[in-house]
Amino acid sequence: MLPNEREIEEYWEVGYWVAPPLFDADEIDKAREAVLAVHSGREPEGGYPFMPPLNADKPRAVKTLMYAWYFNDVIRKMVTDPRITAIAASLMGVDRVRLWQDQVIVKPGLADGEPDPENNVGFHQDYSYWQDSSTTNMITANIVLQDTTEANGAMRVLMGSHRFGLLEAASHFFDPDLDRVRADYATERGSGAGERALEVLGGQVTFHHSLLVHGSGPNRSPEPRLTLAPAYFPDGARIRLDDHPESPHRVLMHAPVPGSEITGKYFPLVYDGSRAGQSD
Ligand SMILES: O=C(O)CCC(=O)C(=O)O
C-alpha cells in the first residue's frame, strides 16, 4: 500500500497524504484500549517516565501524551509498524527512517452541547516544536482510531501551507482561537491556503509534512476522538541547537553536540529499506 509516484508528488504539492485503511477492527480496538489506559494514569507503574499528559485535569479539553511508545507495547508495535514506516520513507524520499516522537491524543466528546474552546487543537506547524532537528523533511502520521468527520473534530489542514516555510508564531497547538490564528497566518503569508477537513475511516492513516499548518475543531459527538500520532525523520538528520533547551527531544538527546547525528534509544531506527523494513 505504498503511495505511487503521482501520490508522492501530490504529497509534496499539498503537504499531506491520506492512506487507505491500514489497520483492522481488532487492531483498532486494542489501540483504543491502550490509548485510554496510558491517559488514565494506571500505567506505567511508577508514573510517567518523561512527562505526564497535558490537560489531564480538564475533562473537556483535548489531552495529549508523548513517549507512550516507550512503555506501552501496543502503542510501540503500532508506531513502529512497517505499514506506516515504509510509507513515511516513501513520502520523505529516504531509505532509512527513525522515530522522532509519538503523541497520544484524546479529544473528549462534547455532545451535551456545552462548548469548550480548549477541545480544539490550535492551528500550528509541528516543526515549530522540532527545531532541534536539522531538517524540516519530517512527517507525522495520524492513526485514526474511529470513523472521523467534522462532527467529531476531524483534523483540518491548510493545503500547501508547508511551502510557506516556518511561520513566525506557529506553536499554537493549545491556542483554541482557530479563526484568529488562521487569519494571522494568512496575513503573514499574504494568501489564504485552501482548507480541508480530513474525514477518514477508523484504521486510515493520514501523513503530513512538518511545516503543514493543521488543527481541529470541537468533537461534538458523545464518544472521545482518539488518535495516535507518531512522527518520523530521515536517518542521518543532525542535532541543531535552537533556543528551546527544554524541548523533550533535546532532553532525550542527552548532552547534545550540535551537528552530530540524532541517534540513540529514544530515536530508534524504525525502517530500513535495504533490510525490508525491520525495526531495531
Ligand atoms: O488531533 C488533531 O486534531 C491534531 C493532531 C496534530 O496536531 C498532529 O498530529 O500533529
Side-chain angles (χ1 to χ4, degrees):
M1 293 247 198
L2 291 179
N4 61 32
E5 249 173 63
R6 186 186 51 75
E7 290 167 326
I8 294 172
E9 259 172 44
E10 211 175 281
Y11 165 78
W12 284 99
E13 182 65 24
V14 294
Y16 65 92
W17 187 62
V18 180
L22 300 179
F23 295 101
D24 64 27
D26 185 47
E27 291 172 300
I28 295 169
D29 283 351
K30 288 200 175 91
R32 287 182 64 85
E33 236 174 72
V35 165
L36 295 173
V38 300
H39 268 279
S40 71
R42 288 195 306 275
E43 66 168 86
E45 254 176 55
Y48 297 103
F50 307 116
M51 59 181 72
L54 301 175
N55 277 348
D57 55 337
K58 299 179 181 171
R60 303 169 71 79
V62 67
K63 295 164 214 328
T64 104
L65 169 66
M66 288 171 69
Y67 298 108
W69 73 265
Y70 200 70
F71 57 83
N72 181 287
D73 291 343
V74 173
I75 291 175
R76 179 168 47 250
K77 194 157 177 273
M78 215 165 207
V79 304
T80 59
D81 191 308
R83 280 172 285 184
I84 296 184
T85 58
I87 293 176
S90 291
L91 293 173
M92 289 191 290
V94 299
D95 274 342
R96 289 161 58 90
V97 170
R98 287 183 182 272
L99 180 66
W100 177 245
Q101 64 169 54
D102 64 1
Q103 210 173 178
V104 183
I105 302 171
V106 175
K107 193 186 268 261
L110 303 180
D112 58 14
E114 274 295 308
D116 185 338
E118 289 189 273
N119 193 265
N120 294 346
V121 172
F123 279 120
H124 65 281
Q125 291 174 310
D126 294 338
Y127 187 74
S128 70
Y129 298 99
W130 299 350
Q131 295 178 52
D132 30 25
S133 158
S134 63
T135 180
T136 59
N137 183 18
M138 302 171 82
I139 198 165
T140 304
N142 273 60
I143 309 169
V144 176
L145 299 176
Q146 62 284 299
D147 295 351
T148 302
T149 65
E150 283 198 72
N152 57 348
M155 188 167 86
R156 309 184 68 82
V157 297
L158 300 194
M159 296 156 75
S161 52
H162 62 303
R163 287 185 272 117
F164 291 173
L166 183 61
L167 297 168
E168 210 156 276
S171 307
H172 280 283
F173 190 100
F174 288 109
D175 185 332
D177 192 339
L178 298 177
D179 292 337
R180 183 186 49 72
V181 176
R182 182 197 293 112
D184 283 354
Y185 290 158
T187 307
E188 193 178 325
R189 286 293 140 177
S191 71
E195 185 170 333
R196 186 181 157 200
L198 303 185
E199 299 198 321
V200 284
L201 298 173
Q204 275 192 274
V205 181
T206 68
F207 292 81
H208 62 266
H209 188 280
S210 75
L211 287 172
L212 189 78
V213 176
H214 59 286
S216 57
N219 172 9
R220 297 197 174 85
S221 81
E223 299 300 328
R225 193 214 74 179
L226 311 183
T227 308
L228 197 48
Y232 307 96
F233 67 103
D235 181 41
R238 293 176 183 276
I239 297 175
R240 172 180 173 271
L241 287 194
D242 61 1
D243 42 7
H244 297 102
E246 74 294 347
S247 96
H249 317 103
R250 177 82 66 83
V251 171
L252 295 178
M253 283 169 186
H254 297 301
V257 177
S260 62
E261 286 190 14
I262 305 170
T263 57
K265 69 173 178 177
Y266 298 117
F267 303 95
L269 191 70
V270 289
Y271 185 77
D272 184 342
S274 62
R275 288 193 304 152
Q278 292 169 26
S279 56
D280 68 5

